[in-house]
Amino acid sequence: MNGIYENPKYYEIAFSFRDIPAEVDTFERLFRAYAAYPVKSILEIGCGNTPHLGELLRRGYAYTGLDISQAMLAYSAQKAAAMPGSATFVRADMLDFKIPQKFDFAFIALGSLCARNTADLFSHLHSVRRALNTGGLYLLDWCIHFAPFSDQEDTWMIEQEGIQVTTHYAERLIDAVEQRVEETIVLEVLEDGLTRTFTETRLIRVIFPQEFLQIIAHIPEFEFVGWWNNWDVDKPLGEVKDPHKISRPIALLRRR
């Protein structure tokens, strides 16, 4: 149980820096501007510990979370059981899934798209295409790199409920031709005077903006809507001149 995805509570604390009500406000602004009809059903891909679950249910949406981690799904189902509203969970691989229900809106948050190569990326997008109603929207958070790649490291600490979680994040380029990086997340957890360490490493194919547009152009059922900086629909990325000021960019697609 040393992987971070087998320890949802610690993962939840580590990434709790987000303003979830504000992010759902952004969803709803995009719905009003770009959805073909009122959005009622939502699919979160790579849902993990489902930080948006409570806010979406409170606002009346039907929620489905998809993830490969049984531990994350069990944790999220337990949360949902204590909340009013409709929530279901599906165990599946985000890179290749088929589910019978279709949705009005899908999203993937916090750079969770774990495509290892171009084939994975196409497979993922076709899976999402199958899951969306015509006119449905797909939002990708922090999945596209808007600056030349360089190795990155970051560390932060969050304490909740007497549990202190220090997160170490690193990206390292390992294959320039395949645009593949190694991402490592280490959680150092201090709880009840005991320190434990949990580590996860994965390989990810970096996606750059112009190739993203070309990939979408080869999937005729999708159309590109737009992209914005730091979840702010008043800040389109075309107006950001300094790439170092781009943070958590979101991109939006619509199902034809």
Side-chain angles (χ1 to χ4, degrees):
M1 298 291 287
N2 288 329
I4 65 172
Y5 300 117
E6 283 71 50
N7 293 274
K9 180 63 176 178
Y10 302 144
Y11 184 92
E12 183 170 57
I13 293 172
F15 294 95
S16 62
F17 52 78
R18 292 171 281 178
D19 185 341
I20 297 300
E23 292 184 4
V24 177
D25 287 345
T26 296
F27 289 163
E28 293 188 327
R29 286 192 65 182
L30 294 171
F31 297 166
R32 291 191 293 270
Y34 301 111
Y37 40 75
V39 171
K40 296 180 180 179
S41 57
I42 293 178
L43 171 67
E44 181 175 9
I45 300 167
C47 65
N49 60 285
T50 57
H52 296 83
L53 170 67
E55 191 67 26
L56 290 170
L57 293 181
R58 278 190 289 273
R59 300 194 193 195
Y61 298 102
Y63 175 94
T64 297
L66 182 149
D67 206 287
I68 195 67
S69 167
Q70 188 61 53
M72 286 289 189
L73 292 173
Y75 182 79
S76 294
Q78 185 176 29
K79 287 168 56 176
M83 299 175 181
S86 172
T88 57
F89 300 93
V90 176
R91 187 165 190 250
D93 184 347
M94 71 168 66
L95 300 177
D96 186 13
F97 64 88
K98 294 180 181 179
I99 48 181
Q101 184 181 355
K102 291 187 180 293
F103 301 88
D104 303 327
F105 175 64
F107 73 101
I108 186 166
L110 210 62
S112 296
L113 178 53
C114 56
R116 296 153 298 195
N117 50 49
T118 303
D120 280 354
L121 181 55
F122 270 100
S123 179
H124 168 78
L125 290 168
H126 281 294
S127 295
V128 178
R129 170 188 59 78
R130 290 190 295 265
L132 283 175
N133 288 313
T134 300
L137 302 174
Y138 180 36
L139 181 142
L140 302 92
D141 164 30
W142 223 351
C143 295
I144 303 168
H145 283 246
F146 286 86
F149 185 83
S150 60
D151 291 355
Q152 301 179 42
E153 293 185 1
D154 196 7
T155 297
W156 64 92
M157 187 274 286
I158 297 176
E159 185 170 350
Q160 290 182 3
E161 303 174 21
I163 304 171
Q164 178 180 296
V165 179
T166 301
T167 305
H168 304 278
Y169 177 86
E171 279 186 351
R172 182 173 64 90
L173 181 65
I174 61 170
D175 190 329
V177 172
E178 297 294 332
Q179 298 174 203
R180 190 173 295 132
V181 302
E182 181 184 74
E183 178 190 79
T184 301
I185 303 173
V186 179
L187 305 184
E188 294 179 358
V189 178
L190 177 59
E191 182 180 15
D192 297 329
L194 177 66
T195 299
R196 289 179 289 172
T197 300
F198 306 93
T199 303
E200 204 78 45
T201 299
R202 63 179 186 174
L203 299 180
I204 302 174
R205 182 219 194 275
V206 173
I207 307 166
F208 293 111
Q210 291 304 307
E211 68 169 346
F212 179 75
L213 295 179
Q214 288 300 308
I215 288 169
I216 297 306
H218 283 81
I219 305 177
E221 296 88 352
F222 271 133
E223 61 177 321
F224 173 74
V225 176
W227 41 35
W228 299 268
N229 192 32
N230 202 22
W231 285 76
D232 187 343
V233 295
D234 294 320
K235 295 180 179 178
L237 281 166
E239 297 179 5
V240 180
K241 303 307 179 185
D242 183 353
H244 297 97
K245 293 183 179 179
I246 295 176
S247 176
R248 286 196 68 195
I250 56 172
L252 188 68
L253 305 177
R254 182 164 48 211
R255 174 77 158 83
R256 298 181 194 270

